[in-house]
Amino acid sequence: MSNLIHLNTDTTSLVIKAEKSLPEILYWGKRLPEDTGLDTFFEANHHPVPQARIDTGTVVSLCPEHARGLFTAPGLEGCRHGDDWTPEFSLSETTMDGHRVRFLCHDPRAALQLVINLGLNPGTDVLETSLTLTNQGDSGYQLRKLTNTLLLPTHAREIMYFHGRWTHEFQTERKKLDRSGFILENRRGRTSHEHFPGIMIGQPNFSETSGKVYGFHLGWSGNHRFHAEAMSDGRRYLQAGELLMPGEVELAPGASYSTPTLYSTYSNKGLNGISQNFHRHVRREIVRFPEPGKVRPVHLNTWEGIYFDHDPEYIVQMVRSAAEIGVERFIIDDGWFRGRNDDKAALGDWYLDEQKYPRGLQPIIDCVKDHGMEFGLWFEPEMISPDSDLYRAHPEWMLHTDGYDQVTIRNQYVLNLQIPEAFDYVLGRLDSMLSEYDIRYIKWDMNRELVQPTHNHRAAFHGQVQAYYRLVDEVRKRHPLVEIETCSGGGGRVDYEVLKRTQRFWASDCNDALERQTIQRGASYFFPLEITGAHIGAKLCHTTGRQHNADFRGITALFGHMGVELDPARASEEEKRGFAKYIALHKSLRHLLHTGNYFRCDTAHKESQAWGVVSQDQSEAVLMFAQLAMPEYAMSATVLIPGLDPQKQYKVQVLENSSSDIYMKRCPPWMVEPATMSGALLEQVGLMMPVLQPESAMLIHLEEI
Ligand code: DGJ
């Protein structure tokens, strides 16, 4: 019987050799033709052994082993008080279930069992992998590392990775993948703004529309480590798993540890192919909406409008103005609970501040509902302020290490959710608020990192993340219709594991449209628009001090789950007309934006960018073209639009333009009079763009004739 496992989707093939030792990838890429004699091909085409190396040759398996003379980073590191540190597994059983494979492996000497799970999703082209280690010995096994490993083809030579910070998330950077290797480590205890757990590796110069590329994302909201390397023999691999602290995980006899899931996908059409696969996967396999098919309601979030200054009478005015401009969900952000007058106190005291709200929240909720909107409320459940009743009553609930002073970040500590009483307390408070009021939406925030977290004399990163997942799961179980947004000072906690429990993420605390252009583009590599929180902020941006007109802010916020983050009651009539216009436009386009295929264009001039969405049946598309900085040239380049139907004719017209035509004596004629153009020509020859003012954007609509 063949020892090759061949998984196929419409576009991708994965071939794995599963013999006596741990399985290895022989091929992963464009779908192979049927009946090509794979066995004999790989028999004759298997790795040769170079001189002066291990005589039997080495295999970069799905969990590389030092024991076999492979000097890469091993897939498993651990020991039993020094012993059993270099296990050598044999494959005991391979089980296939459709597109899923389970490899059961053992090392009887080390008394360890390893299960490698792998599934290539036929509907999305995304490969899911995870490993589970079980201690079958009669003493504890100290686990330092268990990680997913994937062998890459030799043309995988360039990396694109993501970095950032508060108000500056999802920034991209490129690097050569060479012998010095690439390591991305996150030790912040949340997914983090700084080291998003995603990476692209592909042919040199892969672009949005061209090149063979592999995309990876680790679904985990805590510490992680990515390691990619070109070995001295030219083979390349990627590892991604949780980063464990010394002694953090000790497996008692019979206990298991599972890695987070690594999501990977292949495209031979550049980064757009990767994003489209990931988006499909998020839509079909990750995010669960309590009411499937319900449109994403336009938000008003009070944060930048009123901060901590909560006056119910005034909030009612905001509600009315919000309804006038078309808002559908009204969310009261931070500042509603006892003693929360600034960011220095009260986290943990999740009781309504009756001084601020003497008549409770009900009058506001009634007003919100009377205006046809839903009501949402902000919480930061995992936190505790030193100046809070909760801390005064239970200082021991603060996550810390005995004998050391715990630092504050944003004046706050973290609540140790592994203490059952602390967990029950915060669950009880959330449950009580959600039961008392008709709250349909939680903005679940998390504004600081974990520093020196210990529980039961061990590092507590892993346990805290697991406890957080349990907490959200329990809240959802008790209140299944409530939608949850994951926020962490903006986009500090968004990944596919948290998205299994939430329906939206707050991409950034930066509402500056210019910055948002880059942030939202970066997020779009992994996340579809309907879950990407994007708001129109105040004209004078609170986090950058820049000013943009309502059109640039509106066009930018339109590409996401849209909202406004300002005080509409104080806005001028002209501003309000602008917000209403873009909210209405978003509503008219949201079927397309939230279900279609998202793409980014390769723009010739680096100061401009373009992205768009084409409907699944390719009958309609919307394109955004933005001028980020001063145009380098007096004329703009054409923009090639990928993803249209080459056979179809489209009516092309401008929907909105935030720029004056200061640089143009004559605009391209299609801007003045809608024109008919073929999908084939728009993709190959492209659409001629005007030169826009810096920091402006244009919205273009394409509709099948
Ligand atoms: C950080 C969030 O990202 C903001 O949107 C806001 O909710 C504040 N926290 C409130 O403290």
Side-chain angles (χ1 to χ4, degrees):
M1 202 187 99
S2 163
N3 56 27
L4 293 192
I5 289 172
H6 187 180
L7 298 179
N8 276 326
T9 68
D10 288 347
T11 53
T12 307
S13 286
L14 177 69
V15 181
I16 294 176
K17 183 174 167 198
E19 221 170 29
K20 293 194 193 93
S21 48
L22 291 184
E24 65 169 311
I25 294 177
L26 295 185
Y27 175 82
W28 176 28
K30 185 178 171 198
R31 188 188 159 115
L32 300 171
E34 301 289 341
D35 300 327
T36 37
L38 272 187
D39 285 283
T40 47
F41 178 82
F42 281 112
E43 203 57 50
N45 221 6
H46 213 209
H47 13 78
V49 178
Q51 282 295 0
R53 305 293 300 254
I54 306 290
D55 294 330
T56 46
T58 54
V59 165
V60 182
S61 72
L62 293 169
C63 184
E65 297 153 292
H66 169 83
R68 301 195 187 265
L70 191 74
F71 302 111
T72 60
L76 163 65
E77 286 180 60
C79 68
R80 225 179 270 285
H81 296 292
D83 202 0
D84 297 335
W85 67 275
T86 175
E88 192 176 315
F89 288 92
S90 342
L91 179 62
S92 317
E93 190 183 280
T94 302
T95 331
M96 287 210 53
D97 174 15
H99 284 73
R100 299 201 153 265
V101 196
R102 177 177 183 267
F103 300 106
L104 177 67
C105 315
H106 290 101
D107 177 346
R109 185 201 173 280
L112 293 172
Q113 173 188 288
L114 180 69
V115 173
I116 303 173
N117 283 305
L118 189 148
L120 181 62
N121 189 305
T124 66
D125 275 321
V126 171
L127 174 70
E128 291 191 9
T129 45
S130 66
L131 280 64
T132 299
L133 184 77
T134 304
N135 177 11
Q136 298 188 318
D138 47 21
S139 60
Y141 189 82
Q142 296 89 48
L143 183 66
R144 261 193 54 184
K145 169 183 171 190
L146 183 65
T147 194
N148 297 279
T149 306
L150 294 174
L151 183 69
L152 301 172
T154 37
H155 58 252
R157 284 166 183 269
E158 189 171 317
I159 294 179
M160 180 172 126
Y161 67 100
F162 298 79
H163 66 96
R165 60 178 166 78
W166 178 67
T167 63
H168 197 53
E169 296 85 341
F170 299 110
Q171 308 295 310
T172 57
E173 199 79 50
R174 297 250 185 163
K175 258 193 170 184
K176 222 171 115 187
L177 173 57
D178 55 22
R179 285 183 202 88
S180 61
F182 170 84
I183 287 177
L184 182 113
E185 278 188 355
N186 172 41
R187 295 167 183 272
R188 293 174 180 259
R190 58 179 174 183
T191 320
S192 90
H193 303 72
E194 288 76 6
H195 311 290
F196 176 74
I199 183 174
M200 310 290 179
I201 308 184
Q203 276 180 317
N205 303 319
F206 60 83
S207 75
E208 302 295 354
T209 53
S210 69
K212 296 178 183 162
V213 194
Y214 296 82
F216 305 92
H217 169 64
L218 189 76
W220 181 244
S221 315
N223 294 340
H224 58 248
R225 184 172 206 264
F226 279 63
H227 180 170
E229 197 178 307
M231 295 161 60
S232 63
D233 58 23
R235 286 178 292 178
R236 282 138 202 278
Y237 65 92
L238 169 94
Q239 288 188 335
E242 187 181 4
L243 177 71
L244 298 174
M245 293 294 133
E248 182 162 15
V249 174
E250 165 147 350
L251 297 177
S256 301
Y257 167 89
S258 295
T259 65
T261 303
L262 176 65
Y263 300 86
S264 315
T265 193
Y266 165 77
S267 153
N268 57 8
K269 293 197 216 90
L271 291 160
N272 280 338
I274 297 289
S275 302
Q276 285 165 7
N277 292 351
F278 277 146
H279 292 187
R280 247 195 323 274
H281 202 70
V282 169
R283 285 174 173 167
R284 293 188 190 177
E285 309 292 339
I286 305 290
V287 172
R288 293 283 168 264
F289 292 108
E291 296 167 81
K294 175 178 164 181
V295 293
R296 305 290 78 226
V298 174
H299 281 194
L300 181 136
N301 188 61
T302 58
W303 180 239
E304 290 197 353
I306 52 172
Y307 291 105
F308 298 100
D309 189 8
H310 290 209
D311 167 3
E313 315 264 288
Y314 190 72
I315 291 178
V316 162
Q317 285 182 44
M318 289 174 78
V319 170
R320 294 200 183 105
S321 315
E324 275 166 28
I325 57 173
V327 167
E328 296 163 313
R329 187 184 266 159
F330 190 92
I331 298 122
I332 296 194
D333 205 286
D334 198 354
W336 58 267
F337 47 101
R338 260 186 218 162
R340 184 68 168 173
N341 299 317
D342 53 34
D343 67 5
K344 295 187 180 55
L347 295 170
D349 298 345
W350 304 112
Y351 296 86
L352 187 70
D353 186 334
E354 280 154 5
Q355 284 181 359
K356 285 185 187 169
Y357 293 90
R359 295 172 58 219
L361 276 181
Q362 202 53 50
I364 293 178
I365 298 180
D366 288 344
C367 180
V368 167
K369 288 167 72 177
D370 288 348
H371 285 84
M373 295 184 277
E374 285 177 12
F375 180 72
L377 197 60
W378 179 94
F379 290 91
E380 198 179 359
E382 300 141 77
M383 297 293 151
I384 178 166
S385 302
D387 181 4
S388 65
D389 292 343
L390 183 66
Y391 185 75
R392 282 181 280 276
H394 291 287
E396 76 284 5
W397 286 1
M398 179 247 284
L399 192 54
H400 70 290
T401 299
D402 279 343
Y404 299 99
D405 288 338
Q406 173 64 208
V407 294
T408 52
I409 303 181
R410 206 198 186 202
N411 312 301
Q412 64 200 53
Y413 296 136
V414 180
L415 195 63
N416 183 350
L417 292 179
Q418 291 189 84
I419 298 175
E421 295 77 14
F423 183 97
D424 290 346
Y425 163 80
V426 71
L427 173 64
R429 287 319 309 146
L430 281 158
D431 190 21
S432 158
M433 289 300 295
L434 295 174
S435 305
E436 184 175 352
Y437 294 110
D438 187 6
I439 297 169
R440 306 301 296 270
Y441 184 82
I442 297 177
K443 178 174 177 184
W444 189 307
D445 208 344
M446 197 269 197
N447 282 302
R448 64 157 282 179
E449 285 108 342
L450 311 190
V451 178
Q452 233 183 7
T454 298
H455 178 71
N456 278 348
H457 306 284
R458 284 190 192 282
F461 289 100
H462 176 82
Q464 179 76 7
V465 175
Q466 296 280 18
Y468 155 67
Y469 290 153
R470 282 202 307 281
L471 183 62
V472 190
D473 289 344
E474 192 53 40
V475 171
R476 289 176 62 230
K477 207 163 107 201
R478 296 184 187 190
H479 302 277
L481 288 181
V482 173
E483 287 191 13
I484 303 178
E485 171 173 61
T486 174
C487 170
S488 185
R493 185 162 63 187
V494 51
D495 56 78
Y496 289 1
E497 195 56 38
V498 74
L499 284 175
K500 287 181 184 164
R501 307 163 159 86
T502 50
Q503 291 78 24
R504 185 192 210 243
F505 69 97
W506 182 225
S508 179
D509 272 356
C510 187
N511 290 315
D512 177 322
L514 181 64
E515 296 300 327
R516 276 288 185 147
Q517 283 281 332
T518 311
I519 293 168
Q520 288 172 211
R521 177 186 181 126
S524 78
Y525 288 100
F526 301 90
F527 307 112
L529 297 181
E530 65 273 20
I531 60 165
T532 306
H535 292 179
I536 301 180
K539 181 169 188 172
L540 180 74
C541 174
H542 293 200
T543 54
T544 62
R546 279 200 198 103
Q547 297 204 39
H548 294 118
N549 62 26
D551 293 305
F552 187 42
R553 281 138 68 208
I555 292 174
T556 305
L558 194 104
F559 286 88
H561 178 179
M562 192 185 184
V564 290
E565 180 99 12
L566 38 80
D567 177 0
R570 272 199 200 109
S572 69
E573 286 308 314
E574 192 197 339
E575 280 268 296
K576 277 205 280 195
R577 272 196 298 279
F579 308 148
K581 177 169 98 179
Y582 281 98
I583 290 174
L585 191 55
H586 176 76
K587 287 180 182 171
S588 73
L589 291 171
R590 81 182 143 187
H591 64 282
L592 169 62
L593 299 168
H594 292 174
T595 62
N597 267 329
Y598 178 90
F599 60 84
R600 292 164 301 265
C601 304
D602 286 316
T603 39
H605 300 160
K606 65 179 184 331
E607 338 71 68
S608 63
Q609 71 173 14
W611 66 45
V613 181
V614 58
S615 64
Q616 297 291 344
D617 67 0
Q618 296 168 301
S619 65
E620 189 186 4
V622 60
L623 179 78
M624 187 236 37
F625 175 72
Q627 189 67 46
L628 304 178
M630 188 66 183
E632 191 85 354
Y633 300 96
M635 286 213 317
S636 183
T638 52
V639 169
L640 310 182
I641 307 174
L644 299 172
D645 183 339
Q647 310 298 335
K648 288 188 166 134
Q649 295 290 326
Y650 293 89
K651 181 169 130 197
V652 183
Q653 62 180 326
V654 179
L655 280 185
E656 292 298 338
N657 184 357
S658 81
S659 173
S660 77
D661 49 13
I662 180 167
Y663 298 125
M664 302 301 300
K665 190 170 283 172
R666 195 174 67 217
C667 287
W670 65 267
M671 286 183 65
V672 183
E673 194 60 41
T676 301
M677 301 183 190
S678 96
L681 293 179
L682 285 167
E683 175 151 20
Q684 283 178 42
V685 185
L687 188 63
M688 180 59 73
M689 291 296 171
V691 173
L692 302 182
Q693 280 175 298
E695 305 185 18
S696 64
M698 193 165 83
L699 198 64
I700 299 144
H701 191 244
L702 297 97
E703 198 174 6
E704 182 186 356
I705 305 260

